[in-house]
């Protein structure tokens, strides 16, 4: 008997028929002798609608109330899923974030899970009951409802699996697993049978939205295996047809490049002609950090005027206005000659554990982009990834060309 957490994403619970199909998979897991906790997302489109309501009231709405509104989508699905299971003869009960409780910090809208009390859930699961938990939501120490950031139901599921010491966390979604690139962009992309937490963490944080980054962090920390699989078709999680995200040692064949991620919606800022003195980077980035601007890819250049430097960095386009306001109001930077912005950039990354021991991966990337006439604006690397910033208009072309260049369609033969 295994303990499994099964999470169903928005498209997998988009209407009553799909909720019933998802429930049927849970029933089959129970019939196979497994204990199952189910985590559900809001029905597809519901969270977007709820976010839109909040923005219509005021773009500057209170984040505590935002959480009250947007967490409600998952509550609906949890109740419906419990009903669908009951209809199929299963004893099932919904457990909202505050009832368990799933305790989070008080950073509303982007809260982090701090603790999950599993005592009651274990009792129920041991008694043969299915627990249905709405993803995305928790409760702060002050007793207010919190949410975990967009895509946060993945994190709810993996956190619950870790707390319950589950054997596996199955993430049912609208693709059959983690692919070598977003299958919506690269039609030839192939399913990766097994991937390490480390690579998945890079792919997720670099734009592959199939798993929320924090859910992968949580998997890596706890060691709970995560399986990404399709909610469509006949199979259930225990058939192991999806992609297993697991520890590096358990993957025999290490590919040099496992996948390509792309992130649209970035903006590049260059602060031209700041004094090249110790502490300049801290002075520039501290106020941005305080304003919760997410700064990425940072490059510092020596500019032609002696004693000054240019600083280039990227921010999510949604943070651009805030970043510009901070920079323009920062009197310390009055000496800067100019602040230049390029709003139309995308980050393309190749990721692979095998890169650690292989040279030439970067060169292949640069040559491939050059052959397509794509200019690279910024480069950043780590042991297992290379990211470049390019004009957003060429993002899809770049991803497809790189997918070819690294021969990633080879995965189709083993998947
Ligand atoms: P859910 O609603 O089930 O949480 P998401 O929309 O959040 O589903 O995530 C699934 C989507 O992630 C897929 O439809 C796919 O377009 C996208 N995606 C991006 N990169 C990848 C990748 N490398 N492999 C698989 N899917 C990816
Ligand atoms: N419903 C939330 C969202 O759309 C959480 C999730 O689905 O993971 O972001
Ligand atoms: Mg998702």
């Amino acid at each position: 008997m295994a303990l499994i957490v099964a999470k169903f994403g928005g498209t997998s619970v988009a209407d009553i028929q799909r909720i019933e199909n998802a429930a049927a998979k849970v029933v089959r897991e129970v019939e196979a002798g497994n204990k199952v906790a189910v985590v559900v997302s809001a029905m597809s489109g519901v969270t977007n609608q709820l976010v839109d309501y909040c923005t219509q009231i005021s773009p500057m709405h209170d984040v505590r109330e935002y959480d009250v509104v947007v967490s409600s989508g998952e509550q609906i699905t949890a109740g419906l899923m419990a009903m669908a299971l009951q209809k199929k003869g299963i004893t099932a009960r919904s457990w909202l974030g505050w009832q368990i409780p799933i305790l989070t910090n008080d950073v509303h809208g982007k809260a982090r899970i701090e603790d999950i009390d599993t005592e009651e859930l274990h009792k129920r699961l041991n008694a043969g009951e299915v627990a249905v938990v709405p993803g995305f939501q928790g409760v702060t120490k002050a007793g207010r409802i919190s949410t975990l950031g967009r895509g946060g139901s993945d994190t709810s599921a993996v956190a619950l699996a870790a707390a319950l010491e589950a054997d596996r966390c199955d993430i049912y979604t609208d693709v059959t697993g983690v692919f070598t690139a977003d299958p919506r962009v690269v039609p030839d992309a192939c399913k990766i049978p097994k991937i390490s937490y480390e690579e998945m963490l890079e792919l997720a944080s670099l734009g592959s939205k199939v798993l929320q980054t924090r859910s992968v962090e949580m998997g890596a920390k706890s060691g709970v295996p995560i399986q990404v699989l399709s909610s469509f078709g006949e199979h259930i999680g225990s058939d192991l047809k999806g992609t297993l995200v697991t520890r590096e040692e358990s993957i025999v064949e290490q590919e040099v490049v496992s996948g390509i991620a792309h992130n649209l919606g970035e903006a590049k800022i260059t602060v031209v002609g700041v004094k090249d003195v110790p502490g300049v980077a801290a002075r520039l980035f501290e106020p941005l950090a305080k304003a919760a601007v997410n700064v990425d890819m940072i490059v510092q250049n020596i500019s032609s005027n002696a004693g000054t430097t240019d600083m280039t960095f990227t921010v999510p386009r949604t943070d651009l206005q805030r970043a510009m306001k901070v920079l323009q109001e920062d009197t310390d930077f009055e000496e800067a000659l100019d602040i230049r912005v390029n709003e139309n950039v995308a980050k393309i990354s190749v990721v692979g554990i095998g890169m650690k021991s292989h040279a030439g991966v970067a060169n292949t990337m640069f040559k491939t982009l050059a052959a397509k006439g794509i200019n690279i604006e910024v480069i950043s690397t780590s042991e297992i990834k290379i990211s470049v910033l390019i004009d957003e208009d060429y993002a899809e072309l770049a991803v497809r060309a790189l997918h070819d260049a690294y021969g990633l369609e080879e995965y189709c033969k083993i998947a």
Side-chain angles (χ1 to χ4, degrees), residues 89-133:
I90 298 278
T91 315
R93 185 60 66 213
S94 65
W95 295 91
L96 303 185
W98 61 270
Q99 288 171 310
I100 295 177
I102 296 176
L103 267 186
T104 72
N105 64 12
D106 59 5
V107 185
H108 283 275
K110 264 192 218 166
R112 273 179 181 267
I113 296 178
E114 291 187 338
D115 188 47
I116 302 182
D117 188 340
T118 54
E119 201 184 322
E120 185 65 24
L121 290 184
H122 267 306
K123 258 193 237 158
R124 304 279 181 144
L125 293 171
N126 289 337
E129 206 171 295
V130 170
V132 184
V133 177

Side-chain angles (χ1 to χ4, degrees), residues 146-356:
S146 52
T147 63
L148 310 180
R150 296 305 306 268
S153 295
D154 296 330
T155 301
S156 307
V158 179
L160 187 63
L164 288 169
E165 298 183 12
D167 295 281
R168 205 178 60 242
C169 181
D170 285 336
I171 306 281
Y172 286 94
T173 182
D174 57 2
V175 281
T176 55
V178 178
F179 279 60
T180 47
D182 187 341
R184 285 178 211 262
V185 172
V186 182
D188 293 339
C190 311
K191 190 180 77 186
I192 305 171
K194 264 191 185 182
I195 189 167
S196 66
Y197 293 117
E198 217 178 336
E199 287 168 298
M200 192 63 234
L201 197 58
E202 291 283 7
L203 285 175
S205 67
L206 295 168
S208 301
K209 298 193 172 69
V210 62
L211 284 176
Q212 199 200 34
T213 309
R214 222 174 273 166
S215 71
V216 190
E217 271 169 25
M218 201 87 77
K221 216 158 76 185
S222 63
V224 63
I226 304 170
Q227 179 181 209
V228 178
L229 76 165
S230 169
S231 64
F232 306 115
E234 284 308 306
H235 57 272
I236 56 170
S238 292
D239 298 334
L240 297 179
K241 297 254 191 221
T243 295
L244 206 63
V245 189
T246 178
R247 292 204 198 281
E248 188 186 333
E249 310 83 75
S250 62
I251 303 173
V252 190
E253 291 260 325
Q254 288 297 355
E255 303 296 328
V256 178
V257 170
S258 289
I260 298 168
H262 68 283
N263 200 25
L264 306 178
E266 304 237 354
K268 184 179 80 164
I269 301 177
T270 303
V271 186
V272 181
V274 291
K275 278 195 198 109
D276 193 8
V277 290
V280 65
R283 222 157 37 85
L284 181 62
F285 294 118
E286 203 173 286
L288 290 169
K290 276 198 187 130
V293 174
N294 255 326
V295 175
D296 189 26
M297 305 180 95
I298 302 173
V299 184
Q300 178 177 348
N301 295 309
I302 301 296
S303 75
S304 48
N305 302 328
T308 65
T309 182
D310 300 343
M311 286 280 204
T312 297
F313 53 94
T314 59
V315 299
R317 212 170 291 153
T318 44
D319 284 358
L320 179 62
Q321 269 191 325
R322 210 150 16 103
M324 289 304 285
K325 196 157 170 267
V326 169
L327 292 173
Q328 278 152 0
E329 283 172 4
D330 188 347
T331 46
D332 270 355
F333 276 91
E334 274 171 357
E335 86 269 10
L337 299 176
D338 194 8
I339 300 176
R340 293 186 197 145
V341 174
N342 183 349
E343 281 191 55
N344 196 45
V345 286
K347 183 169 56 180
I348 313 292
S349 311
V350 299
V351 172
I353 286 241
M355 260 185 225
K356 283 184 191 173

